[in-house]
Amino acid sequence: MPDQPRHTFSKQERMTSRKLMEQLFAGGRRSMSAFPLRAVFMTMAREEGAAPVQVLISVSKRHFKRAVKRNRVKRQIREAYRLNKHILWEALASKPTEALAVALLWQADDLRDTAEVERSLVSLLHRMAEKL
């Protein structure tokens, strides 16, 4: 996979490992919030051929009972991440042995405008990049 990020969200960039998810939420991990999003993240060793950042997107049923609304919010978050992932990729470019696992969690009980979702995600990505 090239080091130059493309505006895609491929299978390698999605967090699919249940073991990795359990490690991420086990406690003691760093988290930060930019309403309506919350990010939980941890650094890990990068495997050969793996993406530098793996992302999990979650919208709780507690916030939206109907799947249509949950899916809309997940689409908004995915699109915002896809367009702005270069922020994290550039921060990790100087560390070829490190990777980042990120969970993006929705906190609001109502739908938000796509521009607002993107603003809060960009804010989170910049803050995470500073912490690295």
Side-chain angles (χ1 to χ4, degrees):
M1 180 154 208
D3 286 323
Q4 194 68 302
R6 296 174 36 214
H7 291 295
T8 60
F9 191 49
S10 66
K11 174 77 171 171
Q12 289 84 15
E13 295 175 63
R14 298 172 196 258
M15 190 183 308
T16 57
S17 167
R18 180 150 330 258
K19 184 174 155 185
L20 182 57
M21 289 177 208
E22 288 172 0
Q23 286 177 352
L24 185 60
F25 291 109
R29 301 297 174 209
R30 292 181 269 180
S31 73
M32 53 184 62
S33 182
F35 197 79
L37 291 171
R38 179 171 168 251
V40 179
F41 61 99
M42 71 175 191
T43 56
M44 58 186 183
R46 188 185 307 187
E47 296 175 10
E48 188 65 33
V53 181
Q54 287 192 346
V55 178
L56 168 74
I57 297 171
S58 176
V59 180
S60 175
K61 199 179 216 183
R62 178 175 36 147
H63 297 297
F64 299 110
K65 298 297 182 205
R66 302 208 178 258
V68 172
K69 290 184 179 182
R70 287 196 305 273
N71 291 339
R72 176 179 182 240
V73 171
K74 286 190 276 189
R75 273 197 311 272
Q76 287 177 318
I77 297 170
R78 271 196 308 267
E79 181 68 5
Y81 174 76
R82 183 183 72 82
L83 294 174
N84 297 292
K85 69 180 180 180
H86 61 87
I87 297 167
L88 286 180
W89 284 52
E90 290 167 0
L92 287 170
S94 62
K95 302 175 181 179
T97 59
E98 282 190 21
L100 192 65
V102 180
L104 297 171
L105 310 170
W106 186 259
Q107 292 181 316
D109 287 332
D110 56 338
L111 295 173
R112 299 295 172 120
D113 189 42
T114 302
E116 184 180 348
V117 173
E118 186 168 359
R119 268 194 308 275
S120 53
L121 182 71
V122 168
S123 169
L124 281 173
L125 294 178
H126 280 297
R127 289 169 48 201
M128 277 191 275
E130 287 174 11
K131 294 279 186 188
L132 298 176

